[in-house]
Amino acid sequence: MGTKDRWYENATFYAIDVEAFADGDGDGVGDFEGLTDRLDYLESLGIDCVWLLPFYPSPNRDNGYDVMDYYGVDDRHGTLGDFVEFAREADRRGIRVIVDLVVNHTSDQHPWFRKAREDPDSEYRDYYVWREDLPEDPDPVRGPVFPGEEDSVWSYDEAAEAFYYHRFYHFQPDLNIANPEVREEIRKIMGFWLELGVSGFRVDAATLMIDNKGGLESTRLDDPHGVLRDMRHFVERRGDDAILFAEADDAPEHLGDYFGSTTGRQPSNAETAAELGEGDEMNVLLNFLLDAYLVLALAEREAGPIRDVLDLLPPRPEGGQWANFLRNYDELNVGRLPEDGQQKVFEAFAPDEDMRIYGRGIRRRLAPMLDGDPDRIRLAYSLLYSLPGTPLLVYGDEIGMGDDLDLPGRTAVRTPMQWSGERNAGFSTADSGELVRPVVSGGEYGYETVNVAAQRGDPDSLLQWFSRLNRLRGECPEIGTGDCEVLDVDDPAVFAHRMVSDHGRVVAVHNLDDRPTEATLDLVAEPDRLLGEAAFEQVRPDSGGTAVADGNGDADGSGAAGADAGAWRFELDRYGFCWVRVEQHV
């Protein structure tokens, strides 16, 4: 077990909604022709892997997550040939591609469901979850994912004369993963796209996929995580270093189990990675827990929540990785925070009710959440990139795109990419009324001022800063695979930590407040600046033989400190930060 090339451990991922990224044929909808034309941009930005949201044939009632054909490309986005050309051109530039695998449910227009509802004796009937009557006592743990939009997880189908189960919308019936024929269908889907050159799958709703759906005996899996292990085995047999990149939003005490372990020890019960061996389920987990606590730290302007979440996260097995992000295409979910923490985040970043959604989230992009403050935006992403794991960006993050709260629900953060100050933000040549969604226009975040073209030639722009950050992150494998130690500092607004691996050690210090401060750290040698403009100087040399806070000496544990070991003071401006490398080992 084990992906041969663990390329994902030190990669920068970039999420793209094809329909909103670039329109190549001028019909107002993004497509693979337009996306292919923009690959040079992604290469210049330093992106290692693109995650594509669903582009399959779909009624598109849930942004493509209602799939009615797993083996095609929606006509609005082009053809399979266009996809293959895109994948080939991406590979030529060294950019990998992963695609969404949406197999917790299908569209109610999928042929499987249409046959299932029409004929109770159809083989497809058992592809889904049915019951004749509503349960007397609805399961409070298995309620609708979208409270306020769906009242129940059971809907009646007139043709089938039965109720079917759906955790998402009523037009997205859940697949019965306990049915081995359904699991075989999933393998066929993965095999098809692997043959077309993808480097893996973002597994949608992995937690719900292996749940005991509806609490029925017919949906109970003897070994729920065995489903994920089987998927991992299949991908490793059929794919060339392909990965599973999972949406697994579970309680902290269960989260690590989605990595799996070859030692038989559950990650949720382990204290160290050494107890786990290699992971044998998901290669990468989206780090929802870190996201919530990191945003709380930004709201409080204190480092305490970051310390807390690093203690909450389970150890990673060998080959397991976190995908760290600040925003994604869904709401910013703060439901895992304590109640008082949720309220602090809402008050700081979503003071108006229409900025909130589902009682648990925020439907805004990060730039407007942080009032467009360029120093604070850079601070937030510098902190994100320095934490253990690998970073994930959403298209438009790199230029500080805003949102459109006039759009319903989650679509507020899915407006077209802003390429230039030309008509329709350079996204499409179609009439504005034909666009898949309106572009953000006017004001602080309008395409007239926030766009790629305006920032591309400005060395001080956010876009150019991200280009440098992405490349720097690729030069710091310590962050992707190293051990993390939080360092003691006096100011509660300052978070300082070090990442150590066989490659060496990287130390990062961040000021979460808008007032200048300083932090003094014990280092084993003179630091070399990697990122940030904070001034630093040695204020006390090591007296010799002292165990310093930065790693007790060499990365190999020898304890030998350099001639410049001792206390170093970092002067941090408002939202200031600094990364340094200390005594690199090759």
Side-chain angles (χ1 to χ4, degrees), residues 128-140:
Y128 297 90
V129 182
W130 303 88
R131 63 179 300 153
E132 294 184 358
D133 302 303
L134 285 173
E136 293 183 6
D137 299 311
D139 187 343

Side-chain angles (χ1 to χ4, degrees), residues 205-264:
T207 307
L208 301 182
M209 189 174 77
I210 62 173
D211 189 31
N212 178 204
K213 298 190 175 190
L216 304 179
E217 192 61 35
S218 61
T219 67
R220 190 182 305 278
L221 290 157
D222 294 334
D223 180 11
H225 283 269
V227 173
L228 305 182
R229 282 194 297 275
D230 288 345
M231 292 172 64
R232 172 75 173 269
H233 282 297
F234 180 86
V235 165
E236 291 192 344
R237 287 198 310 270
R238 296 283 293 273
D240 183 14
D241 299 320
I243 66 167
L244 296 176
F245 181 104
E247 179 191 29
D249 188 6
D250 210 333
E253 59 267 26
H254 301 302
L255 193 56
D257 295 339
Y258 294 87
F259 284 127
S261 168
T262 53
T263 66

Side-chain angles (χ1 to χ4, degrees), residues 394-444:
V394 170
Y395 80 93
D397 283 349
E398 71 274 20
I399 58 172
M401 272 179 58
D403 44 51
D404 185 352
L405 295 176
D406 289 334
L407 295 176
R410 295 166 160 181
T411 57
V413 299
R414 298 174 179 176
T415 55
M417 179 65 175
Q418 295 169 198
W419 294 105
S420 71
E422 299 176 355
R423 187 168 67 92
N424 296 333
F427 163 72
S428 174
T429 58
D431 292 338
S432 59
E434 297 176 351
L435 299 185
V436 63
R437 296 182 199 100
V439 296
V440 176
S441 179
E444 186 175 356

Side-chain angles (χ1 to χ4, degrees), residues 473-508:
R473 178 60 185 77
E475 297 169 6
C476 297
E478 299 94 329
I479 300 174
T481 60
D483 296 323
C484 177
E485 179 185 352
V486 177
L487 305 179
D488 292 331
V489 292
D490 293 331
D491 192 331
V494 174
F495 181 73
H497 70 294
R498 70 180 183 97
M499 299 296 302
V500 176
S501 76
D502 292 340
H503 295 276
R505 53 169 63 80
V506 169
V507 175

Side-chain angles (χ1 to χ4, degrees), residues 49-339:
C49 182
V50 167
W51 155 31
L52 298 181
L53 272 69
F55 52 81
Y56 314 107
S58 166
N60 206 32
R61 299 178 68 183
D62 183 25
N63 294 288
Y65 283 90
D66 46 333
V67 178
M68 63 182 190
D69 178 6
Y70 290 106
Y71 298 100
V73 171
D74 195 289
D75 289 343
R76 301 176 310 136
H77 306 317
T79 66
L80 268 179
D82 293 331
F83 174 85
V84 171
E85 179 66 12
F86 156 73
R88 187 185 73 84
E89 287 296 317
D91 180 66
R92 192 168 66 83
R93 292 166 174 81
I95 299 173
R96 294 177 181 264
V97 178
I98 63 173
V99 299
D100 243 304
L101 182 66
V102 189
V103 291
N104 173 71
H105 52 266
T106 70
S107 165
D108 60 2
Q109 299 303 304
H110 195 288
W112 296 344
F113 189 71
R114 295 173 71 174
K115 293 175 181 177
R117 61 193 294 268
E118 292 167 358
D119 181 2
D121 297 322
S122 166
E123 64 177 310
Y124 297 106
R125 186 74 161 204
D126 291 337
Y127 275 35
Y128 297 90
V129 182
W130 303 88
R131 63 179 300 153
E132 294 184 358
D133 302 303
L134 285 173
E136 293 183 6
D137 299 311
D139 187 343
V141 178
R142 297 185 175 91
V145 170
F146 303 126
E149 297 191 25
E150 293 286 344
D151 297 327
S152 172
V153 296
W154 294 98
S155 288
Y156 188 72
D157 184 82
E158 295 285 349
E161 297 182 336
F163 291 88
Y164 62 90
Y165 183 75
H166 56 88
R167 283 297 297 275
F168 290 87
Y169 291 108
H170 65 275
F171 50 82
Q172 293 168 310
D174 269 38
L175 286 165
N176 181 7
I177 306 299
N179 184 339
E181 294 182 9
V182 171
R183 298 198 297 274
E184 179 60 25
E185 296 281 8
I186 294 172
R187 286 189 285 270
K188 290 178 182 178
I189 295 164
M190 292 192 296
F192 177 83
W193 290 102
L194 288 170
E195 286 296 315
L196 294 184
V198 304
S199 290
F201 304 91
R202 182 264 191 186
V203 183
D204 182 61
T207 307
L208 301 182
M209 189 174 77
I210 62 173
D211 189 31
N212 178 204
K213 298 190 175 190
L216 304 179
E217 192 61 35
S218 61
T219 67
R220 190 182 305 278
L221 290 157
D222 294 334
D223 180 11
H225 283 269
V227 173
L228 305 182
R229 282 194 297 275
D230 288 345
M231 292 172 64
R232 172 75 173 269
H233 282 297
F234 180 86
V235 165
E236 291 192 344
R237 287 198 310 270
R238 296 283 293 273
D240 183 14
D241 299 320
I243 66 167
L244 296 176
F245 181 104
E247 179 191 29
D249 188 6
D250 210 333
E253 59 267 26
H254 301 302
L255 193 56
D257 295 339
Y258 294 87
F259 284 127
S261 168
T262 53
T263 66
R265 182 74 180 270
Q266 284 190 320
S268 57
N269 296 327
E271 294 185 3
T272 66
E275 302 173 48
L276 301 174
E278 287 190 67
D280 61 356
E281 294 184 30
M282 304 291 102
N283 303 83
V284 183
L285 299 183
L286 284 162
N287 203 342
F288 292 95
L289 198 62
L290 177 72
D291 180 39
Y293 277 82
L294 185 52
V295 172
L296 176 59
L298 293 172
E300 292 184 338
R301 302 172 190 261
E302 292 193 352
I306 308 173
R307 292 172 174 264
D308 293 342
V309 73
L310 292 178
D311 287 337
L312 282 173
L313 289 172
R316 295 172 290 174
E318 186 178 348
Q321 184 60 297
W322 299 109
N324 299 331
F325 60 94
L326 281 164
R327 288 295 290 111
N328 61 18
Y329 286 104
D330 297 336
E331 71 278 5
L332 193 167
N333 189 345
V334 296
R336 297 285 178 195
L337 294 176
E339 182 64 32

